[in-house]
Amino acid sequence: MKKNNSTGEILRKQREEKGLLLRQVAALLDVDTAILSKIERGERKAKKEQIVELAKILDLNQEDLIIQFLSERILYEIQDEELGEKALKVAEQKIKKNNTKQIKD
Amino acid sequence: MKKNNSTGEILRKQREEKGLLLRQVAALLDVDTAILSKIERGERKAKKEQIVELAKILDLNQEDLIIQFLSERILYEIQDEELGEKALKVAEQKIKKNNTKQIKD
DNA sequence: GTTATAATTGACAAATATTGTCAAGTTAAT
DNA sequence: ATTAACTTGACAATATTTGTCAATTATAAC
């Protein structure tokens, strides 16, 4: 029972399910095969536009893929940071505080 | 009842409380006054090393300041992203999952 | 084993973003 | 009006990210 944890795994699985080659998807994405290979294996980060494009090309739910992608960017930002988890919680609190403030507008 | 929301506000308040000039703190930090001014006003992001240094210079709790700083970096990462809050939650879940995994090691 | 196709890897280049310097401009107090 | 502290914006230096390319590895078919 294998889970798709990372954006890369999701992309690769779906590409293979559709029987597409790296070359083909890379062409549609307008990047070199090497880049897509690295993105799928998590060696490189994709750009947001590429994630959006890939969702279209591979018929993946765009929102889910973006959430996945953004969460990885967030985790990348706090990698090796001992206080990362606490910072995440503070960030959430700040967002919430801002949301409730918005009600006034 | 004014809260110190941002890193910059904390830094400025504490510097003023200590009666230090931008010039003086900037010198200790080894950057131009302009940079520190911008950091305090939230116009520029500080580097992590600078945050650590500033905590020392201004006698601020280092962990608290770092958490503050990291949370801002995280929020910066998802600014303007509609799905940012959801991504934050997913990021937290991933961290937790990883924590429990670690027990095995 | 050779050939052919797909994917991976690593060195390097191009593009973008971050951080810094400097000089000129405010602001506020005297 | 002078002075000191701070601010601002243009630009330079640096660092990071993203991309290209050529060489290599892996796999399958013969």
Side-chain angles (χ1 to χ4, degrees):
Chain A
M1 178 242 260
K2 166 104 167 63
K3 281 229 198 90
N4 283 318
N5 274 313
S6 66
T7 308
E9 285 171 38
I10 294 168
L11 294 173
R12 172 146 298 185
K13 190 182 167 206
Q14 182 74 351
R15 177 175 62 79
E16 287 175 344
E17 218 141 84
K18 296 210 129 200
L20 296 168
L21 300 176
L22 271 182
R23 172 161 46 81
Q24 301 174 307
V25 175
L28 292 170
L29 241 199
D30 193 31
V31 294
D32 194 276
T33 310
I35 296 276
L36 186 54
S37 168
K38 285 168 187 169
I39 289 172
E40 285 187 349
R41 283 170 303 106
E43 193 184 317
R44 288 249 182 136
K45 294 173 290 183
K47 298 197 294 189
K48 192 193 167 190
E49 319 149 44
Q50 292 171 333
I51 291 297
V52 171
E53 260 306 296
L54 283 166
K56 288 180 193 159
I57 294 168
L58 299 173
D59 287 313
L60 285 164
N61 181 289
Q62 191 167 303
E63 291 209 343
D64 290 348
L65 198 62
I66 290 175
I67 290 169
Q68 195 57 35
F69 162 74
L70 288 176
S71 75
E72 271 165 33
R73 278 215 318 213
I74 290 167
L75 291 173
Y76 179 81
E77 204 64 23
I78 57 176
Q79 75 186 161
D80 316 316
E81 293 288 350
E82 288 184 16
L83 299 168
E85 195 169 351
K86 286 187 184 174
L88 262 183
K89 281 176 186 150
V90 172
E92 272 205 70
Q93 287 165 0
K94 285 185 186 170
I95 280 198
K96 277 178 196 146
K97 197 169 292 179
N98 237 301
N99 285 348
T100 56
K101 264 188 200 156
Q102 295 287 16
I103 293 169
K104 293 176 197 161
D105 305 347
Chain B
M1 182 244 255
K2 166 106 167 63
K3 282 231 197 89
N4 282 317
N5 274 314
S6 67
T7 308
E9 286 172 37
I10 294 168
L11 294 173
R12 172 147 296 185
K13 188 182 167 204
Q14 180 75 350
R15 176 174 64 78
E16 288 175 344
E17 218 140 84
K18 297 211 127 200
L20 296 168
L21 301 177
L22 269 183
R23 170 162 48 80
Q24 301 174 307
V25 175
L28 292 170
L29 240 200
D30 193 32
V31 294
D32 194 276
T33 309
I35 295 278
L36 186 55
S37 168
K38 285 168 186 168
I39 289 173
E40 285 187 350
R41 285 170 303 104
E43 193 184 319
R44 287 249 182 138
K45 293 174 288 182
K47 299 197 295 189
K48 194 196 166 188
E49 320 148 43
Q50 293 172 331
I51 290 297
V52 172
E53 261 306 297
L54 283 166
K56 289 180 192 157
I57 294 169
L58 299 174
D59 287 313
L60 285 165
N61 181 290
Q62 191 166 305
E63 292 210 342
D64 290 348
L65 198 62
I66 290 174
I67 290 168
Q68 196 55 36
F69 162 74
L70 288 176
S71 75
E72 270 165 32
R73 278 215 318 212
I74 290 166
L75 290 173
Y76 179 81
E77 203 64 24
I78 58 177
Q79 73 186 164
D80 317 316
E81 291 288 349
E82 288 185 15
L83 299 168
E85 195 169 352
K86 286 187 184 174
L88 260 183
K89 282 176 186 151
V90 172
E92 272 206 70
Q93 287 165 0
K94 284 185 185 169
I95 279 198
K96 278 178 195 147
K97 197 170 292 181
N98 236 301
N99 286 347
T100 56
K101 264 188 198 155
Q102 296 286 18
I103 294 170
K104 294 176 194 161
D105 305 347

